[in-house]
C-alpha cells in the first residue's frame, strides 16, 4: 500500500470512528504532523474524502469533519435501503455457486469474530467492523452494476460512521449484538434459498434497526446535554 493510500485509509477510519470529532476543523499542518506526511498529501486526501461526505470544504473555512445530524441519518438510511435492495436483488438473480460460497465464507468469518460491545475502537471491534463490511459486500458481489456497487460503498461508510459514533456514545449492547448476528444468519438462509421477497425484507429491516439504535443514542446524547445545560450535540 502506498503512503498516500495508507493516509487516506487512516483518515477515513479516524473520521468514521470519531477519533476526529464531527464538525472539527481539519488543520493541514496539524494533520501533517499527526500522520507524519507532507501537507500536500494531507490536502489531497482530504479533497478525496469530500465527495464521500466524510469531509466538508468551504472557502474561508477550509476543511472540516462532516457534521452528523438526524436529518442526514434518515436520508442516508432511506437511500441505502433503496440501493442495497436493488443490488441484492440483482446479485440473487445472477449469483452462481462461487458467489454462494463467498457469502457462506464471509458469514462464517463474521460469526467467528468477537467484538467488544460499547467500544468501537477496540482491536477486536475494528476486526469485527472489517468482517461486517466484507459480509455485506459479499451479499451483493454478484451485482453487475458498477454504479450500484459504488453508491453502496459510499452509503455503507456513512451508515457505519453513525453506527460507530453511537457505539462510542454507549449505544447498543449485547442484546443488540445478538440481534445483529441473528439478522445476518437469517439473511444468508434467505439469500441461498433464493427467497427474494424475504431476503429484501430482511436487509431492509436490518438497516432500519441499526438506524433506530443510532437515533436512540443521539436522543440520549441530546437529553444529557439538555440536563447539563450544554448546547445540544448529536452524540
Amino acid at each position: 500500500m502506498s503512503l498516500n493510500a495508507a493516509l487516506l485509509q487512516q483518515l477515513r477510519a479516524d473520521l468514521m470512528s470519531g477519533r476526529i470529532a464531527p464538525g472539527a476543523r481539519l488543520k493541514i499542518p496539524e494533520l501533517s504532523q499527526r500522520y507524519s506526511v507532507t501537507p500536500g498529501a494531507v490536502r489531497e486526501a482530504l479533497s478525496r474524502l469530500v465527495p464521500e461526505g466524510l469531509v466538508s470544504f468551504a472557502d474561508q473555512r477550509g476543511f472540516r469533519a462532516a457534521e452528523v445530524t438526524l436529518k442526514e441519518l434518515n436520508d442516508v438510511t432511506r437511500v441505502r435501503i433503496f440501493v442495497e435492495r436493488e443490488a441484492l436483488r440483482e446479485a440473487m438473480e445472477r449469483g452462481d455457486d462461487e458467489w454462494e460460497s463467498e457469502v457462506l465464507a464471509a458469514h462464517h468469518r463474521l460469526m467467528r469474530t468477537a467484538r467488544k460491545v460499547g467500544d468501537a475502537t477496540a482491536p477486536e471491534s475494528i476486526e469485527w467492523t472489517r468482517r461486517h463490511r466484507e459480509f455485506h459486500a459479499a451479499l451483493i458481489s454478484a451485482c453487475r452494476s458498477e454504479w450500484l456497487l459504488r453508491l453502496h460503498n459510499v452509503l455503507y461508510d456513512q451508515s457505519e460512521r453513525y453506527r460507530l459514533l453511537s457505539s462510542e456514545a454507549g449505544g447498543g449492547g449485547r442484546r443488540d449484538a445478538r440481534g445483529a448476528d441473528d439478522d445476518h444468519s437469517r439473511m444468508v438462509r434467505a439469500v441461498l434459498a433464493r427467497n427474494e421477497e424475504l431476503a429484501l425484507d430482511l436487509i431492509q429491516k436490518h438497516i432500519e434497526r441499526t438506524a433506530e439504535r443510532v437515533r436512540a443514542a443521539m436522543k440520549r446524547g441530546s437529553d444529557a446535554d439538555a440536563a447539563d445545560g450544554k448546547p445540544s450535540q448529536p452524540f
Side-chain angles (χ1 to χ4, degrees):
M1 181 183 295
S2 70
L3 181 61
N4 285 355
L7 171 62
L8 184 65
Q9 184 180 71
Q10 187 61 57
L11 266 171
R12 184 184 288 112
D14 288 347
L15 288 161
M16 290 179 60
S17 68
R19 283 189 289 265
I20 297 177
R25 185 178 175 189
L26 302 174
K27 299 178 181 179
I28 290 176
E30 292 181 3
L31 293 176
S32 174
Q33 184 175 15
R34 175 175 178 170
Y35 297 111
S36 301
V37 296
T38 66
V42 172
R43 182 178 294 277
E44 179 183 351
L46 292 176
S47 297
R48 291 179 62 181
L49 291 170
V50 170
E52 296 183 20
L54 295 175
V55 171
S56 64
F57 176 80
D59 290 337
Q60 309 303 321
R61 295 186 63 199
F63 293 102
R64 288 183 179 272
E67 300 280 1
V68 291
T69 67
L70 182 59
K71 179 180 178 180
E72 183 186 61
L73 170 64
N74 291 338
D75 197 24
V76 166
T77 300
R78 179 178 64 87
V79 180
R80 182 187 167 193
I81 287 170
F82 176 80
V83 168
E84 198 153 338
R85 278 175 58 98
E86 290 304 306
L88 182 57
R89 188 197 313 276
E90 182 172 322
M92 291 177 68
E93 291 174 354
R94 296 176 176 272
D96 54 15
D97 290 347
E98 184 177 347
W99 169 70
E100 290 186 359
S101 295
E102 179 52 33
V103 169
L104 283 169
H107 181 243
H108 179 71
R109 290 191 295 267
L110 176 63
M111 295 299 289
R112 287 180 60 85
T113 304
R115 58 171 158 163
K116 189 172 182 179
V117 175
D119 185 0
T121 62
E124 56 266 46
S125 295
I126 292 173
E127 179 66 9
W128 186 92
T129 295
R130 183 173 72 85
R131 296 296 193 189
H132 186 232
R133 183 189 185 94
E134 290 175 353
F135 171 71
H136 278 269
L139 285 175
I140 63 171
S141 60
C143 173
R144 296 295 182 264
S145 170
E146 292 185 8
W147 271 106
L148 276 177
L149 295 176
R150 192 179 305 173
L151 289 170
H152 170 266
N153 286 337
V154 172
L155 292 162
Y156 185 90
D157 280 349
Q158 288 292 333
S159 295
E160 278 291 271
R161 183 180 186 226
Y162 277 88
R163 184 186 69 80
L164 292 169
L165 289 169
S166 72
S167 177
E168 285 299 289
R174 295 190 182 280
R175 181 178 299 177
D176 291 327
R178 288 195 297 271
D181 289 342
D182 290 342
D183 283 353
H184 299 142
S185 297
R186 286 195 293 267
M187 281 188 279
V188 169
R189 290 194 294 269
V191 164
L192 296 184
R194 305 301 170 112
N195 188 334
E196 180 180 296
E197 182 179 358
L198 178 58
L200 298 185
D201 181 62
L202 288 171
I203 196 69
Q204 177 169 339
K205 288 180 178 177
H206 176 63
I207 295 170
E208 288 174 341
R209 272 194 290 270
T210 299
E212 188 55 41
R213 289 195 293 271
V214 175
R215 291 187 193 101
M218 294 176 76
K219 185 177 186 303
R220 285 195 297 272
S222 296
D223 290 347
D225 288 337
D228 292 339
K230 299 177 182 177
S232 179
Q233 299 293 327
F235 293 104

